[in-house]
Structures are given as C-alpha cells and as structure tokens.
C-alpha cells in the first residue's frame, strides 16, 4: 500500500510531528519495527489485528481514549491523497466521520484550530503564557463529549 503524498512529505521532512497535545504517528529513531503506539507501522498492525480498522486504513493520531484518526487508502485519489476519518473507539464498523480530503488538509486545520484557540485565550488554556498547552481538564472533557457522538 502506498502512503498518501502529504503524509509521506511530513514523514520525510520531520520524521515525527508534535504540537500542543497532538502527536502524529510516524517513524521513530528506533526504526520501523519499534513497538511504540506512536510508530505508525506498529499502530497500524495493532489496530488491524484488533479489527478496529480495515486493511486499507492507516491510523495516525489518537485522542488518548475514544476516537482515533485514520487515512483510508482505499479511497486514494489520482493525486495520491487519501481522505481522513475519525473512527470510534469501537472501530470502523461502528462508523467513521470524514474530516478532511487529505492528511495535509487535516493537519492544516488542526494547526489553525490550535492557533485560533490560543488567540482567543479560551478556557482550554491554563496560565498566562501565550504558548501554554490546553489543560488536561479541557482535553478530558472535550474527548468525553466527543465520545458521546459514537454511542
């Protein structure tokens, strides 16, 4: 299976990517055989073995508990991109919601959302520092609310 173009670009330029509480699965310095959930190869093999994703999906981000995010390579376009879906913790058989047409679009949207939240200084940010990450309480409540979408 071929990886989507924008995801391959991220892998080749950064290897891994993390900002605020978002940690994109990638290839780690320990190699593609590393047994860490943030290793995209390990995460994909594990999620497929558990039946949470299809053989054409590649997970690249999790909410910690609850939903996770995948690229579905069964739907790869002529330009080499695959749409991004949010999948319930119970797996794709329980439904998936399309979030973006590509990994690049999804990542751009996440970065913008994070920057806008910082500008607004909403309750999700603790402290007075501009670069404060979202609070654990906000993240926990956000994903508890999102988990209700899949009941």
């Amino acid at each position: 299976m071929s990886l989507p173009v924008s995801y391959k670009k991220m892998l080749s330029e950064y290897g891994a990517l993390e900002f605020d509480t978002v940690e994109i699965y990638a290839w780690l310095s320990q190699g593609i055989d590393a047994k860490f959930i943030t290793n995209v190869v390990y995460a994909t093999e594990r999620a497929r073995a558990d039946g949470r994703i299809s053989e054409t999906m590649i997970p690249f981000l999790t909410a910690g508990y609850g939903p996770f995010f995948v690229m579905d390579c069964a739907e790869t376009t002529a330009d080499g991109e695959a749409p991004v879906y949010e999948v319930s913790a119970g797996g794709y058989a329980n439904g998936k919601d399309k979030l973006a047409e590509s990994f690049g679009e999804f990542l751009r949207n996440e970065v913008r959302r994070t920057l806008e939240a910082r500008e607004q200084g909403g309750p999700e940010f603790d402290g007075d520092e501009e670069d404060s990450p979202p609070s654990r309480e906000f993240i926990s409540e956000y994903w508890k609310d999102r988990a209700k979408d899949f009941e």
Side-chain angles (χ1 to χ4, degrees):
M1 174 182 325
S2 182
L3 295 172
V5 172
S6 55
Y7 185 69
K8 283 195 289 191
K9 185 161 180 69
M10 186 279 300
L11 289 174
S12 67
E13 288 190 23
Y14 302 104
L17 190 59
E18 181 177 352
F19 60 95
D20 280 337
T21 61
V22 177
E23 187 173 4
I24 305 295
Y25 300 170
W27 290 322
L28 307 173
S29 59
Q30 295 87 349
I32 64 171
D33 294 324
K35 303 292 185 219
F36 299 109
I37 194 60
T38 55
N39 176 343
V40 69
V41 174
Y42 178 71
T44 301
E45 290 171 347
R46 190 170 148 196
R48 286 179 181 170
D50 293 346
R52 290 180 292 146
I53 64 172
S54 75
E55 292 296 315
T56 61
M57 292 177 171
I58 300 169
F60 66 89
L61 175 67
T62 186
Y65 71 92
F68 56 100
F69 305 89
V70 301
M71 297 167 280
D72 193 345
C73 297
E75 301 175 38
T76 301
T77 62
D79 63 353
E81 292 294 351
V84 170
Y85 291 94
E86 181 177 273
V87 176
S88 77
Y92 76 103
N94 293 322
K96 60 182 187 177
D97 291 323
K98 190 174 192 177
L99 301 178
E101 295 297 327
S102 69
F103 172 79
E105 178 186 332
F106 173 85
L107 184 59
R108 187 174 45 250
N109 292 343
E110 284 299 299
V111 169
R112 283 183 183 149
R113 182 190 59 75
T114 299
L115 293 174
E116 287 170 3
R118 284 179 174 223
E119 280 180 13
Q120 294 175 9
E124 64 271 26
F125 291 96
D126 290 332
D128 296 333
E129 294 181 21
E130 186 176 315
D131 63 347
S132 296
S135 69
R136 291 192 183 277
E137 179 182 343
F138 171 80
I139 294 166
S140 175
E141 291 304 313
Y142 174 81
W143 288 114
K144 284 179 187 174
D145 287 343
R146 292 302 312 268
K148 294 174 188 171
D149 296 341
F150 299 98
E151 293 177 347

